[in-house]
Structure formats: structure tokens, C-alpha cells
Amino acid sequence: MQFNKKTRRLLLQILAVLFTAVLLLAFSLAWYWKPTIAQAIRKNIELSTNNLYSVAFKDIHINFLTGNFSIDSLRLKPNVLVYKKLDQTNQAPRYLFSIIIKKLEIKNTHPIQYYFNKKLYINKLKVEKPIITVYYNELYANRNKTTVNKYQNPYELIKNTMISLNVKDIIFKNTTLCIQIDSATNKNRQFVFLSNFYVKNLVIDAASQTNHNPFYAEDIGLSIRDFSYTNKDSSYNFKIEECTASTASKSFSVYNLAITPKLPEQNFCDQFGFQKTRYVFNFKSLIFKKFDFEDFIYRQVFHSDLLEINKMKCSINLNKTFKINTLRARKFPQQIPFELALPLTINKIKVINSEINYSEILPQNNLRWHVSFNKLKGEIDHFTNEKKEIIQNKLLKIDFDFLLNNAAKTNLSLGLFYADNKRSFYCNGEMGAYNLAKLNGILKPLAKIEIANCKLKQLQIKLKGDEMGVNANISMKYKNLRVKVLAVDSRDNQLKHQKMYSFLANVMVLSNDNPSVYGKFVHPQFYLARKPQQGFFNLIWKSILKGCKESIGYSEKVELEMKQKSKNYKGLPRGSK
């Protein structure tokens, strides 16, 4: 069909009139509904929170043609008077929130449908650079540890104002999260920058109670970058490059976590005035899988089926030149979970591509010894501090494979029993073929022995003990042992070779081979009592060292006899000890 020029002009005029009419209608509706919508927003917030929160904003912009509207300078704030009344009846929530938003944008919604049908659909809700403050009252939490706040289904909060709420996408960009913890002594503020926070397909309606999606959404995720924190006594700094989480995958990940002391090694114990182990941790990644987000948010319980630790590097140092803190008991590994205030269960921890370095500075002569556990991999089973979990399984099990000093292939298995007042444990291990001369860095300061030559065939350890001591069973097979006996020269505080001791040891005392050429096999079995304030791993190490010394024939009794006999010989340096 063809239109003449006059007809086309008429059609254009009609369309222009209709378009103008629609615009006028849209503006009229916006002008008419604007106060109603503003009042509805304020009323809904107050009703859904039982007047605990109120909302204020500068202006609302509505476009009925596109279904878009925005809110300028929005602020959600708690009502302190209502909170205090709830606190008096132990009904106050653990957390309060305050939100400041410069601009909130809502895309493709239908306020008319909400007004008539009480159903609200939003295609996209976008917020740029919000400031969210979370207030945590530590005094209230400690006072009401046994009080469980009544949980309300989200639908219970909105059912008086709408039938359903469906938001397809919620996006928070560049969010500043401030966490304020009020304690008896001070107010501690910690800022976290969320580069991204999103919610996919949030649905709240009458069926919400049977909705199996966490927090009634298909997925909730976040990304935190460049987070730093200092612990309570200001002795350690924590820094995270990135942390991500997703409820859909039931996982959250931490990348490039560094835990570093504020003071260098030589000054670390000065701030305490007594011995304290110094740690440095670096983690490439920690990935928690099958993490229960609802338990964590609603009940403050940390549950994860699996934690994968990749490329952990840990440096541990203990300066024994400082006095022991007799007021603090040394902890066994099974007590570590109970140091955490949060109820926690991790069913399995997998460690790969990791490394641990341990060193001590000895009090007698300031000598340092060092040992490393390289290419470490293994598993930790049943890491928990929850009573119900411990009733079902009382064993914390640790299995590690590593290269001792980056050379000796070693396997170590630990079993530590929860809910045992004696802190019972077992430790089994095996080391393969190794040149023991490579352990001189440990043996020289600790045992005052230097291995000149010795080929280890196999070392097996079986330990079973508790806080009182350990029963040890050591099997050490080796060939061609030659040693140098050392002593500290008090004139310069250095280890010196004692030629007469060494001669007596190699010729008259020590077994060159085990089993010997005659088939005799020395297999030490003994009980080693734990000294007061002796640490767990020190007890393990001392047991192994004692068993190895007895395997070569260098027991404490023999060592004393050698010193007594050597007094009859000349040439022993004065001041040796």
C-alpha cells in the first residue's frame, strides 16, 4: 500500500501526538506515583525489620516507559532505641548494619504491577561505591553465648507488603565494608574493600521455606582485594591479595596470604620478655570446598568438607636464650583448634608443594641449628573443636611425606586424641637411605657430634605417649660410621673437635655398623619423661635423637664414662664443656 505525501504527513503527526501523550502520561504517572513509591519504600523497610531500621534518601527518579528508576543519596541506618529494647530481652541481633549509597539504579521493574498485584520483579539492581558498616557488639555476644536469635524466613519479613520479590541480578561495585567491633576496652574498626559483590536470581515468596538455594538465590559471590589486618597484640600483620567466594560452588578461596611478624627475628621476643615461637607464613592459595555458608552466617559455625593448601612456606624460630614463660602451658597439636573462638570443623586438609623450616637458638652458647622439610605433601583428617564431632571421632590424624633437608625421603604419621586429659598421641615414621653427614647442621649444636662418614639404610620410629612422656621404639640401620666428638670452648664459645674423645668413640665405643658384622642389631626401646614446659615437637625430636645415639652406642651413660676416662689423657683444651 502506498501513501501520498499528505497521508504520510498526517500519520507522522498522529505518531508524534501519541508519543507526546505517552511521555506526558509517563511523566504524570511518575509525578503522581513518586510520593507513593517513596512512602512505600520507607514503610516496607520499617515493617520488615520491626522498626529496627529506617531508610532516608534525597530523591527518586522514575521512568515508567523503561521500568527504570534510581534513588539518590540513600542511607539505611539502625534505630538505637529499638536495639536497646531488644537487648534487654535478649532478642537483639549480633550484628547491626549501616549503608550509605550515593546512587542506586534499578532496571526493568514494574511499580504498577507491584501496586496492584503486590509482586515485585527487578531485572537488575546496581550499586556503585557503597559504604557498608557492620557493628558487632562483643559484650552482647559474650553475654548471650547460649542465646540463639529467632530466625525468620525472609518471606515472613515481606509478606505484609508484597506476595513475592524476584531480582534477577544484584551488583555491588567497589564496596567499602567497615567492620566495627565494640568491646569493653575499645572500638576496633577494620576496613575491607570488595571489588565485586553479586547476587543471581534472588527469589523470595511463600515457597521460600522449601528453597534449597543458600540465601534464596542461585548464586551469591564476592571478591575482596588487598586486605590487611593486624592481630590484637599487634605482633603480626596479615595480608591477602585476593579472596573470592561463591555459594553456587560452595567454595571460597584465599590467594597469596602472608602472615608476618612486625619485628625482626633478633627483636621478636623483646616485646614479650620470654620465649615465644616466631612464625612466618606464606600461602599461594587456600581453597575451602563444600563450605556451609548458611551455618557460617546464621549460626557463626565454620564447616568445610575440604581445605586445599598449595605452596605453603612456613619459617619457625624459637630463641631459647630468653626465659620460659612458666605461666603459659605448652600446647599439644590437638589443643590448637580449641584456641579458636569460632566452632570449627574441617573434615580433611590437603597440603601440596609446601615447605617448613625450623630453627632454634640455644641458650648455652647462642648456637643455631636448623632443619627443613621440603616438598611436603600430605593430609590432616578431622580438624575440629566441636564436641558433637569429637564424640563421633576422637582422633586427629596427620600424614606427611617430605624430604628432610631436601634430601632424605621421609614419611611421618601422627595420631592425636581429642577429649583426653593426658593428651595421648602416637607417632610413626620412616626415613630411607641417606648420608647422615648432611645432618651435621642439626647434630653439631644438639648432640655435639659431627658425622665424618655414615650411610643410613633405614630409620624407623614408633612413639606412643602423652603429656607425661613417651615410649620409644627406634630401629636404625647404617654402615661405616665415623664421628668427631665436639665440645664448646668457653674461651670463644665455639664448638671444637675433641681428638681424644673422637679416638675413644670410634675405636672403643661406637658401633661402626648396625647390624654389626656379627649380626648383632641394637634396637633401642625406652621411656623418655617429658620435662615441664617441654613442647610437643621438642619431645618427639629428643626421643628420636636419644634413640639414634643409643643405636650407635653413644648413650648418656657411655658419654659420661668417656668424659671420665678422657681426663687421664693430655691435650684436652681448657675450658671445654
Side-chain angles (χ1 to χ4, degrees), residues 295-560:
D295 263 359
F296 183 70
I297 296 297
Y298 294 140
R299 290 171 282 278
Q300 288 76 56
V301 176
F302 193 105
H303 282 167
S304 183
D305 188 59
L306 175 65
L307 166 59
E308 293 180 346
I309 299 175
N310 183 29
K311 291 187 178 179
M312 174 191 73
K313 188 173 183 180
C314 172
S315 297
I316 306 169
N317 174 261
L318 180 60
N319 189 342
K320 289 190 171 181
T321 61
F322 283 80
K323 65 181 181 181
I324 295 174
N325 180 11
T326 56
L327 300 178
R328 181 177 173 84
R330 293 292 179 93
K331 301 290 184 182
F332 276 36
Q334 62 264 52
Q335 295 176 285
I336 293 174
F338 298 93
E339 294 288 297
L340 304 172
L342 190 72
L344 174 144
T345 297
I346 303 175
N347 293 332
K348 186 181 291 293
I349 301 173
K350 285 186 177 181
V351 182
I352 58 172
N353 303 323
S354 295
E355 175 183 326
I356 298 175
N357 295 283
Y358 181 83
S359 63
E360 283 186 3
I361 301 174
L362 302 178
Q364 303 90 343
N365 42 39
N366 284 327
L367 292 175
R368 174 192 290 268
W369 68 274
H370 170 270
V371 63
S372 66
F373 309 91
N374 309 96
K375 297 182 180 179
L376 185 145
K377 63 179 181 179
E379 296 182 353
I380 301 172
D381 289 331
H382 196 51
F383 189 83
T384 186
N385 58 14
E386 295 186 271
K387 289 183 179 179
K388 63 178 183 179
E389 296 289 339
I390 292 171
I391 290 172
Q392 295 178 8
N393 182 3
K394 295 181 172 62
L395 181 65
L396 169 63
K397 196 169 182 295
I398 303 172
D399 287 293
F400 281 148
D401 293 308
F402 54 87
L403 296 181
L404 184 68
N405 280 0
N406 210 23
K409 190 175 181 180
T410 308
N411 167 263
L412 191 67
S413 178
L414 284 169
L416 305 119
F417 293 91
Y418 296 117
D420 185 341
N421 293 331
K422 291 185 177 181
R423 294 177 281 181
S424 301
F425 68 91
Y426 68 79
C427 175
N428 300 322
E430 182 174 340
M431 183 190 295
Y434 187 56
N435 181 3
L436 284 182
K438 293 182 178 180
L439 291 181
N440 281 333
I442 304 172
L443 296 173
K444 286 168 67 175
L446 287 180
K448 295 186 175 63
I449 289 177
E450 180 179 350
I451 304 292
N453 182 61
C454 185
K455 182 179 179 181
L456 177 71
K457 291 182 176 181
Q458 185 187 58
L459 172 65
Q460 290 182 323
I461 62 170
K462 292 183 179 180
L463 308 177
K464 189 175 181 180
D466 52 34
E467 66 178 359
M468 302 303 296
V470 59
N471 287 295
N473 187 329
I474 308 295
S475 172
M476 181 179 175
K477 298 177 181 180
Y478 63 88
K479 289 188 69 175
N480 303 324
L481 173 66
R482 290 289 184 273
V483 303
K484 294 179 182 179
V485 180
L486 308 174
V488 177
D489 192 332
S490 59
R491 292 171 295 188
D492 58 8
N493 213 33
Q494 296 295 314
L495 287 171
K496 298 294 177 64
H497 178 200
Q498 305 300 300
K499 294 182 179 180
M500 188 56 64
Y501 280 174
S502 301
F503 173 78
L504 291 172
N506 288 314
V507 175
M508 303 174 60
V509 178
L510 302 183
S511 303
N512 298 105
D513 305 303
N514 194 31
S516 69
V517 292
Y518 303 106
K520 181 182 178 182
F521 181 56
V522 179
H523 186 185
Q525 298 182 47
F526 55 87
Y527 178 80
L528 181 65
R530 175 175 174 259
K531 297 178 181 179
Q533 297 296 323
Q534 187 176 13
F536 174 80
F537 290 104
N538 184 268
L539 176 63
I540 297 293
W541 168 248
K542 292 290 186 181
S543 302
I544 297 172
L545 184 62
K546 177 180 172 64
C548 291
K549 289 173 72 173
E550 291 189 6
S551 294
I552 67 175
Y554 196 64
S555 64
E556 293 177 359
K557 180 180 178 181
V558 170
E559 188 176 1
L560 290 173

Side-chain angles (χ1 to χ4, degrees), residues 186-205:
N186 65 348
K187 292 184 177 182
N188 179 31
R189 283 195 167 197
Q190 181 64 47
F191 291 89
V192 181
F193 179 72
L194 279 71
S195 58
N196 188 31
F197 175 83
Y198 65 86
V199 180
K200 295 285 186 182
N201 200 25
L202 174 69
V203 179
I204 300 176
D205 55 23

